[in-house]
Amino acid sequence: MKFPNAFEGVKKIFLSEILTLIAGVLAVIGAIAALAGSAIAVGIADTADMSDEAVAQVAGGAVAAVGVGGVVALIGGIIMIVAFIIYLIGVNKAKKDNDNFAKAFMWVIISLIFSIIVGFFSATPTVGPILSACSSVVSCLATFYIVNGIADLADQLGNSAVAGTARTLIKVLFVVYALQVIASLIGGFASGLSLILSIVATILGVIANIVYLIILAQGKKVLEG
């Protein structure tokens, strides 16, 4: 094996992306459950001819839906934290074999700093969404260098097909990430659409993770050989 550190690193990054994908799916489920609960609550408020017993039953359903959504979202958040730690370890390992991963590691750290800052300004109407978008852009840069690293190593191993595929798929990733950032920004400033656009942004994130997984899987296979 010519690049053992890169192989181990990409393998960990691959695992972290699988966990991230699972967390993303859970986030979508949680958001949909919360949206359903909110819709039920609005329905109760708009219905005047329901009996007290019927209202109580529907209200119970609304509370249950919101509660399930919250629990699912919490589990997704925990998985996301574990995935990020594995991701960080993987990029740090891979950077020993290629400078692109070293640049990616730098952007991952910057992304972490942005995420912490976003936490402090999440409730701020204007600053929060902008900082969140900046965090997404920084994460995209980290992904760019990781894919470039895989393409570079594939070239060195004489596998131009995988290198070409990686460089093509990164363009797809950029489009998906751009749409995700736009959805997040609009959702942040349009309160009435925030939950719906949050679901859209999350779904786009899941699509991006699937494309990224394809690149990582091919890179892992090439590096293993």
Side-chain angles (χ1 to χ4, degrees), residues 153-172:
L153 291 173
D155 275 333
Q156 292 183 50
L157 292 170
N159 198 320
S160 57
V162 169
T165 301
R167 292 188 175 107
T168 299
L169 289 179
I170 191 64
K171 297 175 185 176
V172 177

Side-chain angles (χ1 to χ4, degrees), residues 114-141:
F114 260 112
S115 297
I116 294 171
I117 296 174
V118 168
F120 287 106
F121 292 93
S122 59
T124 307
T126 54
V127 180
I130 293 173
L131 286 176
S132 181
C134 290
S135 178
S136 297
V137 171
V138 171
S139 296
C140 184
L141 287 171

Side-chain angles (χ1 to χ4, degrees), residues 7 11 17 40 42 50-51 69 81 109 113 127 132 138 141 154 161-162 166 174 176 190 192 194 204 206 210 212 215:
F7 170 67
K11 189 166 68 171
E17 285 304 313
I40 293 171
V42 171
M50 290 178 63
S51 66
I81 293 172
I109 297 301
I113 294 171
V127 180
S132 181
V138 171
L141 287 171
V162 169
F174 270 129
V176 177
S194 59
L204 288 171
V206 171
I210 291 173
Y212 192 24
I215 300 172

Side-chain angles (χ1 to χ4, degrees), residues 82-132:
V82 173
F84 181 78
I85 294 171
I86 296 174
Y87 181 76
L88 199 62
I89 294 171
V91 177
N92 187 54
K93 183 76 173 178
K95 74 178 186 180
K96 297 176 182 177
D97 283 342
N98 189 276
D99 288 340
N100 277 293
F101 291 100
K103 294 174 183 176
F105 186 79
M106 176 191 70
W107 286 113
V108 170
I109 297 301
I110 294 174
S111 174
L112 177 60
I113 294 171
F114 260 112
S115 297
I116 294 171
I117 296 174
V118 168
F120 287 106
F121 292 93
S122 59
T124 307
T126 54
V127 180
I130 293 173
L131 286 176
S132 181

Side-chain angles (χ1 to χ4, degrees), residues 129 132-134 136-137 176-187 201 204:
S132 181
C134 290
S136 297
V137 171
V176 177
Y177 278 134
L179 292 173
Q180 185 183 21
V181 169
I182 291 170
S184 297
L185 276 174
I186 296 175
L204 288 171

